[in-house]
Amino acid sequence: MGGKGGDNHSEVTDFILVGFRVCPELHSLLFLLFLIVYGMVLLWNLSMTDIIVIDPRLNTPKYFFLGNLLIIDLSYFTVIVPKAVVNILSHKKTISFEGCVTQLFLYAFFMVTEASVLAAMAYDRFIAICNPLLYTVRMSRSLCIQLVAASYLCGWVSSILQISITFSMSFCASRVIDHFYCDSNPVEKISCSNIFMNKMVSFSLTVLIILPTIVVIVVCYMYIVSVVLKMHSSEGRKRGFSTCSYHLGIISLL
């Protein structure tokens, strides 16, 4: 099973996910809640993606980004929820070393990719509202594909760096992860290595990847709000804000 004192990560075969600290009587309720939420997310995202693919009227940059966002959203739910649901009713609550690496990689990949796609969507809405006459020229199909590809690349690079530094540590104190999935912070807490480099890598990734996406989203929406509020008709203002409502909702939730 787990490594003994002084063993490094190569001798750890699995981890134990503590999960939710609730009384056993609530495990069935928690299991049902997770199952319902995941089922709703699965049904909603697949249905919306199917509609976007089938309906030719939705072949626009806005729905191209939205379709990718739905797939990414469903993917990182799938990375976490099924294993969490199984562990709720399981006495063992273990995850293999390889499974933990894979889960952290995919979770970091999809989260960073989603943030980058949200920034691309903010830019799309900025062009649509602030420069509507140039929208079809600026938001070409090739640019949309490039923005999404760049988002996936950012996610891949950041997740590779994250798991490389996280699982280069030694785990000689404990195998028990105080969480319901493998995340970098809980994993770092059970390491007996110096995690200064881990923190520096996480900080660098935040500054180089996450912070710019936040800046793009905030700046774009500052211009959008400014333009919409200057519209003379209430109908125009209402339509302007309604085009961004779903995107703003996703950003708030994230």
Side-chain angles (χ1 to χ4, degrees):
M1 295 288 285
K4 298 177 182 179
D7 289 347
N8 60 25
H9 64 90
S10 63
E11 296 176 46
V12 174
T13 58
D14 62 6
F15 296 102
I16 299 171
L17 297 170
V18 172
F20 298 94
R21 296 182 182 276
V22 296
C23 57
E25 291 78 13
L26 295 177
H27 283 178
S28 297
L29 180 62
L30 201 59
F31 173 84
L32 187 61
L33 179 63
F34 262 65
L35 209 58
I36 291 172
V37 170
Y38 181 66
M40 291 173 63
V41 170
L42 186 67
L43 182 63
W44 169 260
N45 286 35
L46 289 178
S47 300
M48 289 296 295
T49 304
D50 192 44
I51 292 170
I52 291 170
V53 171
I54 292 173
D55 194 338
R57 294 172 299 176
L58 302 182
N59 187 22
T60 62
K62 174 183 176 180
Y63 289 101
F64 175 72
F65 291 127
L66 181 58
N68 277 277
L69 195 65
L70 289 167
I71 293 170
I72 294 165
D73 185 58
L74 177 60
S75 297
Y76 78 71
F77 261 88
T78 303
V79 167
I80 293 172
V81 175
K83 182 61 178 176
V85 167
V86 169
N87 281 353
I88 287 172
L89 297 182
S90 172
H91 293 292
K92 204 173 180 183
K93 301 185 187 301
T94 57
I95 183 169
S96 67
F97 179 84
E98 294 77 12
C100 190
V101 173
T102 303
Q103 191 177 61
L104 177 55
F105 172 82
L106 292 174
Y107 180 71
F109 171 72
F110 289 122
M111 284 299 291
V112 173
T113 303
E114 181 176 51
S116 301
V117 171
L118 285 171
M121 289 180 73
Y123 177 72
D124 171 67
R125 293 299 85 204
F126 163 74
I127 298 297
I129 293 174
C130 300
N131 296 282
L133 298 178
L134 298 175
Y135 181 72
T136 54
V137 176
R138 291 195 177 181
M139 296 307 298
S140 63
R141 183 72 175 177
S142 61
L143 177 62
C144 294
I145 293 172
Q146 288 170 20
L147 288 173
V148 170
S151 299
Y152 280 98
L153 180 62
C154 286
W156 185 80
V157 170
S158 63
S159 56
I160 284 289
L161 290 172
Q162 188 74 65
I163 64 164
S164 297
I165 194 70
T166 299
F167 292 99
S168 65
M169 301 183 299
S170 295
F171 302 101
C172 52
S174 173
R175 300 186 294 119
V176 180
I177 298 175
D178 191 12
H179 210 354
F180 63 95
Y181 67 94
C182 287
D183 198 5
S184 55
N185 286 336
V187 172
E188 286 170 4
K189 288 179 180 178
I190 64 170
S191 169
C192 54
S193 301
N194 188 330
I195 62 171
F196 174 76
M197 188 57 67
N198 298 61
K199 296 299 182 185
M200 289 303 298
V201 169
S202 296
F203 178 76
S204 299
L205 290 174
T206 301
V207 171
L208 296 175
I209 298 178
I210 303 300
L211 187 59
T213 62
I214 294 172
V215 170
V216 169
I217 292 170
V218 170
V219 171
C220 286
Y221 272 99
M222 284 175 63
Y223 277 102
I224 289 171
V225 170
S226 175
V227 169
V228 171
L229 291 178
K230 288 178 182 177
M231 292 179 178
H232 297 295
S233 67
S234 59
E235 183 65 29
R237 289 194 294 271
K238 182 179 179 182
R239 189 168 54 192
F241 282 125
S242 67
T243 61
C244 306
S245 57
Y246 184 84
H247 184 227
L248 285 171
I250 294 294
I251 291 172
S252 302
L253 184 62
L254 183 64

